[in-house]
């Protein structure tokens, strides 16, 4: 339903917000308006000045979809703002294009420029798309895996029902929030076959996922505090920040330690190691710290025995030094996940309920 008053106010506020230089117009020295003039918006949208003025005054004919699309471009609206404009203009928003898997170059540069902060990018359905070297100590090295094997939600619900992960209240709450976020993406991108295929696969294979999906909870991810028992760095506590990358459906996830905290110092020490535990800058290839690599979803505890819960072949257990960030692989680093210290044969790996919650 057309809401003339809300449409008029929304156009006015968006026009005031947009600076002339952002729209490619000369700023001038004497402008009485904080943003664009009505005449300038009309020109950018290809509309008559009188027609646009009547829209801002809550008068005139009902705007067509073409007019609304032209105004969205002229006012440089975000995806959410464009959807809102269409709705108050009395039109259903045009279907969004599918979520992008192409990480913007600026985001790749950003995560590479944070060597002491674990950072990685996930798609709308939680495929890990890019990561920096420090993140490899937490999510493992994924460069040797097929794209379908990098999905965090598939990892979660691939755990057996007896896994200690499901007895941890915080872990279950995190999983519920992830399913709710997936449902939001499922509704936002109704034509995306990959999201539909993942949902269909998990509905068929995981009764636990089916039960959570049937609750129809919808929510986007928010920051949270994580506590991780890392096999190399010990107990860590940090804030997991989730930042949405506009118009891509992607999220940039960072693990932020408080300044001066033990976790901040531990991140700094981990940054000096290659993902499989080698010191960076050493001549030649150093031997791995341990032949049994630490999987990102496990931790070390006293005892004996072999790895529990690791998929056949081990996720991310590829040796070698980090690959230089070049071209389309920028931000994706080669090397195995962090390992337990050499000689730690008295340790066994058990499932960690809290290592990945973003």
């Amino acid at each position: 339903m057309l809401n003339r008053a809300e449409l008029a106010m929304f156009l006015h506020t968006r026009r005031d917000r947009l600076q002339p230089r952002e729209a490619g117009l000369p700023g001038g020295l004497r402008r009485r308006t904080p943003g664009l003039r009505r005449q300038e918006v009309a020109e950018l949208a290809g509309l008559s000045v009188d027609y646009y003025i009547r829209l801002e005054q809550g008068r005139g004919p009902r705007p067509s979809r073409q007019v609304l699309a032209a105004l969205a471009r002229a006012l440089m609206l975000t995806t959410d703002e464009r959807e809102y404009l269409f709705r108050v203009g009395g039109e259903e928003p045009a279907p969004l294009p599918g979520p992008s898997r192409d990480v913007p170059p600026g985001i790749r540069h950003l995560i590479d420029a944070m060597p002491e902060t674990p950072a990685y990018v996930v798609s709308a359905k939680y495929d890990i798309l890019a990561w920096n070297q420090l993140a490899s100590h937490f999510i493992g090295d994924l460069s040797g895996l097929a794209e379908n094997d990098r999905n965090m939600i598939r990892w979660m619900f691939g755990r057996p029902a007896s896994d200690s992960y499901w007895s941890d209240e915080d872990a279950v709450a995190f999983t519920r929030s992830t399913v709710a976020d997936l449902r939001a993406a499922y509704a936002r991108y109704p034509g995306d076959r990959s999201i539909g295929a993942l949902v269909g696969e998990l509905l068929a294979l995981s009764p636990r996922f089916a039960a959570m999906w049937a609750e129809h909870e919808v929510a986007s991810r928010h920051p949270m505090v994580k506590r991780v028992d890392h096999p190399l760095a010990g107990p860590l506590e940090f804030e997991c920040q989730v930042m949405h990358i506009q118009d891509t459906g992607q999220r940039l996830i960072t693990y932020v330690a408080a300044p001066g905290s033990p976790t901040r110092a531990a991140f700094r020490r981990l940054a000096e190691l290659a993902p499989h535990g080698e010191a960076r800058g050493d001549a030649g290839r150093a031997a791995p710290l341990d032949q049994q690599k630490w999987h990102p979803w496990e931790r070390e505890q006293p005892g004996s025995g072999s790895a529990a819960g690791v998929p056949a072949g081990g996720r991310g257990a590829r040796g070698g030094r980090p690959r230089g960030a070049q071209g389309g692989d920028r931000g994706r680093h080669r090397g195995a996940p962090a390992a337990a210290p050499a000689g730690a044969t008295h340790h066994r790996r058990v499932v960690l309920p809290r290592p990945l919650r973003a």
Side-chain angles (χ1 to χ4, degrees):
M1 178 182 296
L2 173 62
N3 187 332
R4 292 185 185 278
E6 187 61 28
L7 175 62
M9 184 59 67
F10 185 66
L11 291 173
H12 180 75
T13 57
R14 297 308 89 182
R15 175 171 62 83
D16 284 350
R17 181 195 64 176
L18 188 61
Q19 297 303 308
R21 64 179 179 276
E22 295 175 315
L25 300 173
L29 298 178
R30 301 177 62 182
R31 297 183 68 94
R32 292 181 295 178
T33 56
L36 298 184
R37 301 185 179 100
R38 291 187 179 94
Q39 295 89 333
E40 291 169 331
V41 175
E43 180 182 349
L44 290 170
L47 307 174
S48 72
V49 176
D50 179 66
Y51 179 79
Y52 180 76
I53 289 175
R54 282 186 289 162
L55 285 178
E56 273 206 12
Q57 292 175 344
R59 302 185 293 113
R62 178 193 183 108
S64 67
R65 296 182 64 86
Q66 291 79 6
V67 167
L68 293 173
L71 288 170
R73 290 192 299 269
L75 294 170
M76 302 177 67
L77 302 184
T78 65
T79 299
D80 290 338
E81 290 170 337
R82 183 180 184 276
E83 179 178 338
Y84 184 77
L85 174 67
F86 270 73
R87 293 196 184 281
V88 298
E91 295 284 349
E92 280 295 315
L96 292 172
S100 174
R101 294 186 61 86
D102 296 326
V103 180
I107 299 298
R108 291 189 182 275
H109 298 328
L110 177 62
I111 64 176
D112 283 343
M114 298 189 292
E116 296 183 359
T117 299
Y120 55 100
V121 178
V122 299
S123 70
K125 68 184 183 78
Y126 282 84
D127 288 337
I128 300 179
L129 303 177
W131 57 94
N132 64 10
Q133 177 169 294
L134 189 52
S136 297
H137 288 286
F138 295 87
I139 64 174
D141 171 49
L142 310 179
S143 56
L145 297 181
E147 290 184 352
N148 282 342
D149 291 334
R150 299 177 186 176
N151 185 267
M152 293 173 60
I153 299 178
R154 188 179 283 114
W155 293 350
M156 292 177 195
F157 289 97
R159 295 174 177 274
S162 59
D163 198 301
S164 62
Y165 180 89
W166 302 115
S167 63
D168 185 286
E169 292 183 1
D170 290 340
V172 174
F174 158 71
T175 304
R176 287 185 180 278
S177 70
T178 304
V179 172
D181 193 25
L182 180 65
R183 179 174 280 281
Y186 182 77
R188 188 175 185 82
Y189 303 104
D192 187 80
R193 294 182 179 179
S194 65
I195 296 178
L198 177 64
V199 171
E201 171 192 334
L202 294 174
L203 286 173
L205 298 179
S206 172
R208 193 181 298 270
F209 175 86
M212 292 184 183
W213 188 258
E215 295 175 7
H216 289 267
E217 294 182 0
V218 181
S220 296
R221 294 299 310 279
H222 301 288
M224 63 178 63
V225 174
K226 288 188 176 187
R227 295 173 181 85
V228 173
D229 187 6
H230 194 279
L232 281 177
L236 303 175
E237 180 174 323
F238 48 84
E239 187 173 277
C240 178
Q241 285 287 342
V242 181
M243 289 157 277
H244 293 257
I245 302 173
Q246 184 173 312
D247 298 337
T248 65
Q250 299 168 7
R251 297 152 185 79
L252 169 61
I253 299 171
T254 57
Y255 295 168
V256 183
S261 65
T263 297
R264 183 72 173 268
F267 281 178
R268 189 173 296 115
R269 291 193 299 271
L270 285 174
E272 294 303 315
L273 299 175
H276 58 300
E278 299 172 7
R280 288 187 291 154
D282 294 344
R285 177 176 176 178
L289 291 178
D290 186 13
Q291 294 301 317
Q292 299 228 0
K293 308 302 184 206
W294 173 67
H295 186 269
W297 292 81
E298 299 171 338
R299 61 173 172 162
E300 301 284 342
Q301 285 189 345
S304 62
S306 59
V310 181
R315 279 194 193 279
R318 288 189 61 172
R321 288 190 172 276
R323 178 174 55 188
Q326 300 291 334
D329 289 322
R330 184 169 180 79
R332 305 183 185 186
H333 299 281
R334 193 179 301 276
T345 55
H346 61 288
H347 284 243
R348 67 181 176 87
R349 283 191 287 250
V350 300
V351 172
L352 171 64
R354 297 191 180 98
L356 280 177
R357 292 195 178 176

